[in-house]
Amino acid sequence: MAKMYYESDAPITALQGKTVAIVGYGSQGHAHAQNLRDSGIQVKIAELPNTANYKLAVEHGFQPTTIAEAVKGAALIIITLPDEIQSKVYEAEIKPNLTSGQTLGFCHGFNIHFGYIKPANNINVVMIAPKGPGHLVRSEYEKGGGVPCLIAVYQDADKNAKNVALAWANGIGGARAGIIETTFKEETETDLFGEQVVLCGGLTALIKAGFETLVEAGYQPEIAYFECMHEVKLIVDLMYQGGMSYMRYSISNTAEYGDLTRGPRIVTDQTKAEMKKILGEITSGAFAKEWVDEYKGGMKNFNALYQKDYDCKLETVGRTLRKMMKWIKAKEV
Ligand code: NDP
Ligand code: MG
């Protein structure tokens, strides 16, 4: 059984009277900053001047500074920069300002686990990884709840690293939902696997293939959109509440028979073999290297693939349909 921590196991006292620096006011950064402040912790923000997120931080009542300024004197420095730029910013602006006994905090283990950031021995290195997007970390906290978090300690220089991490998780609301103990290795590898194979990569590929099959067979794209994209949420909500059995209890017996007999023909032994191959690329570091090289090479492949999907029929049809669905609060990027 995984070790779990709740509010009484995670006293916020380890951070009381101390300053926390948040480097990057994006999806995770804005949530950690505001939640910690609302929990009574003093927070300093580092953001790039003249950016939208700099302005947002100001709107939220912060006065963002340079990284050097924010890091100075902070007990905990939370790095909420995009993973691919962290090592460069760390070398140039964080490392030169770190002093013995400070704690470096990550929300994902990528750079530490794959060795792109190597902190000195006199620095604590911890992770609090919320299992949800930043905007939910903020909105759940405001409702009095929280998003479950993973906790890991990579380096415990002053024998206080875990207390600092637990206080951080408490301050963002995570202790209300539960904090699960893990390692940087486990978090990094399972997180990458989940997003590639199931949550993002697997799901988008499944939806696209289903949509295209119906449209190529001559069915109306709008009908195909509702069947293969829109309804995914309704089904996933049922599984979220009660697993596969509750979802199957709610759908018709006809749907259930189709599910039980046809599903295994879609995700086959061959699919699972490919999943194992992808896991191997993650654990060997091959994926990490490919991604870092892609970033350094100017993101050409990344941008081309993104644009191709942005313009595909599933997306153009969906954009039009969602404008008519007032209740879903449609978003456009
Ligand atoms: P975002 O891309 O949303 O935010 C990063 C922020 O850093 C942006 O505001 C960006 O500014 C700013 N920034 C970029 N360069 C600098 C710089 N040199 N100095 C100061 N600020 C800078 O990142 P995420 O919140 O998505 O990710 C942060 C971390 O959290 C990552 O490790 C990620 O893996 C992890 N994580 C993210 C989750 C999520 O829901 N997004 C979930 C769990 C973990 P600008 O945009 O103006 O360039
Ligand atoms: Mg994840």
Side-chain angles (χ1 to χ4, degrees), residues 131 191 195 199:
K131 290 287 96 185
D191 190 67
E195 65 204 18
L199 306 174

Side-chain angles (χ1 to χ4, degrees), residues 76-308:
L76 168 66
I77 298 118
I78 302 175
I79 305 186
T80 42
L81 298 166
D83 296 307
E84 64 278 15
I85 78 162
Q86 287 184 11
S87 70
K88 196 174 157 211
V89 174
Y90 176 79
E91 285 301 318
E93 297 175 76
I94 298 175
K95 189 171 143 190
N97 296 297
L98 283 179
T99 55
S100 182
Q102 285 183 303
T103 300
L104 266 185
F106 292 86
C107 295
H108 175 38
F110 188 96
N111 283 284
I112 292 290
H113 176 63
F114 292 118
Y116 295 105
I117 293 179
K118 292 193 169 82
N121 292 333
N122 60 353
I123 303 293
N124 293 329
V125 181
V126 303
M127 170 170 54
I128 292 297
K131 290 287 96 185
H135 298 90
L136 211 64
V137 174
R138 180 58 183 157
S139 61
E140 288 297 310
Y141 179 91
E142 285 182 296
K143 283 191 241 163
V147 168
C149 291
L150 304 186
I151 184 170
V153 175
Y154 181 78
Q155 208 162 271
D156 189 7
D158 67 357
K159 303 285 168 268
N160 195 36
K162 193 170 181 179
N163 294 333
V164 172
L166 286 168
W168 166 17
N170 185 334
I172 62 168
R176 296 166 176 168
I179 309 166
I180 312 170
E181 189 146 275
T182 183
T183 60
F184 272 65
K185 174 179 159 60
E186 185 178 59
E187 184 277 338
T188 304
E189 293 173 354
T190 56
D191 190 67
L192 293 173
F193 181 80
E195 65 204 18
Q196 292 177 19
V197 167
V198 180
L199 306 174
C200 311
L203 190 58
T204 54
L206 180 70
I207 292 171
K208 267 194 296 180
F211 175 85
E212 284 165 12
T213 303
L214 286 179
V215 172
E216 282 161 21
Y219 298 100
Q220 299 181 75
E222 292 78 9
I223 301 287
Y225 177 86
F226 277 106
E227 278 308 324
C228 300
M229 174 84 114
H230 182 85
E231 283 198 49
V232 169
K233 176 183 159 41
L234 313 179
I235 293 298
V236 169
D237 280 348
L238 295 169
M239 294 205 282
Y240 183 82
Q241 282 189 294
M244 291 192 290
S245 49
Y246 180 62
M247 182 276 284
R248 285 172 176 158
Y249 158 81
S250 179
I251 62 179
S252 69
N253 292 345
T254 312
E256 196 174 342
Y257 181 71
D259 161 1
L260 292 167
T261 58
R262 268 53 182 176
R265 287 170 54 188
I266 297 303
V267 176
T268 61
D269 288 346
Q270 200 194 330
T271 320
K272 206 163 157 197
E274 199 61 28
M275 288 183 178
K276 287 189 177 148
K277 209 168 134 192
I278 290 173
L279 183 58
E281 292 164 8
I282 292 167
T283 55
S284 73
F287 171 79
K289 184 176 181 310
E290 180 186 320
W291 168 220
V292 169
D293 288 346
E294 173 70 21
Y295 172 69
K296 287 184 179 157
M299 307 269 259
K300 287 186 208 79
N301 189 38
F302 180 112
N303 290 329
L305 292 171
Y306 178 88
Q307 198 56 45
K308 186 164 166 262

